Amino acid sequence: RRHLLYAEALGKGGLYGLGYEYTFAPGLAVGAVGSYVVLRDQRLTTGAGYLHARLFGGRHHAAFAELGVVLARSVVPSPVEHWDGLVDHGAGGVAGLGWERVGDRLVVRTQLEVLAGHGGVAPWLGLAIGVRP
């Protein structure tokens, strides 16, 4: 099965995300994940594209690495007249190592990541649960 649809928490997509991954060669896949969240009045839109590579493991358990780019947009609408609000865009990179459990259709992943961008470098973690249709 080449397609993976998944939901993630605290991953490349931010606080949560919905993603898709396509396996194009044994152990190699490309994917994208996106999210939209409102925190108080701030609206955050995040999207990430990445390359997923299985490093080692068996049929049901494997270590993997991911490398990708994250794009983010932040909008704070104006609460008052005569101020347009604030819109900011940014981009950064993400690299991660993780472990996955693969069933016949269900995939569960956990990983540790490093995010780097204009604001600096930060450690991050993620959990994803997906299904292969």
Side-chain angles (χ1 to χ4, degrees):
R1 296 190 170 115
R2 293 181 175 260
H3 305 277
L4 175 66
L5 302 170
Y6 66 91
E8 77 172 9
L10 299 174
K12 299 169 289 300
L15 293 177
Y16 67 88
L18 296 175
Y20 169 78
E21 194 172 283
Y22 176 75
T23 301
F24 62 90
L28 291 176
V30 292
V33 61
S35 73
Y36 177 78
V37 65
V38 177
L39 300 172
R40 295 192 181 179
D41 290 334
Q42 184 179 16
R43 295 173 177 95
L44 296 170
T45 306
T46 307
Y50 62 91
L51 176 67
H52 175 92
R54 243 178 122 142
L55 300 176
F56 59 86
R59 181 172 179 242
H60 295 291
H61 293 277
F64 66 88
E66 291 183 346
L67 185 63
V69 175
V70 178
L71 304 173
R73 181 174 189 245
S74 171
V75 177
V76 178
S78 173
V80 296
E81 214 175 310
H82 304 296
W83 180 55
D84 293 335
L86 177 67
V87 176
D88 195 14
H89 299 82
V94 60
L97 293 172
W99 192 259
E100 65 183 2
R101 167 74 167 105
V102 179
D104 290 335
R105 286 188 167 321
L106 188 67
V107 176
V108 178
R109 293 179 177 162
T110 183
Q111 66 180 320
L112 295 174
E113 302 165 323
V114 175
L115 297 169
H118 180 70
V121 177
W124 199 247
L125 58 95
L127 174 67
I129 298 173
V131 63
R132 294 194 184 276

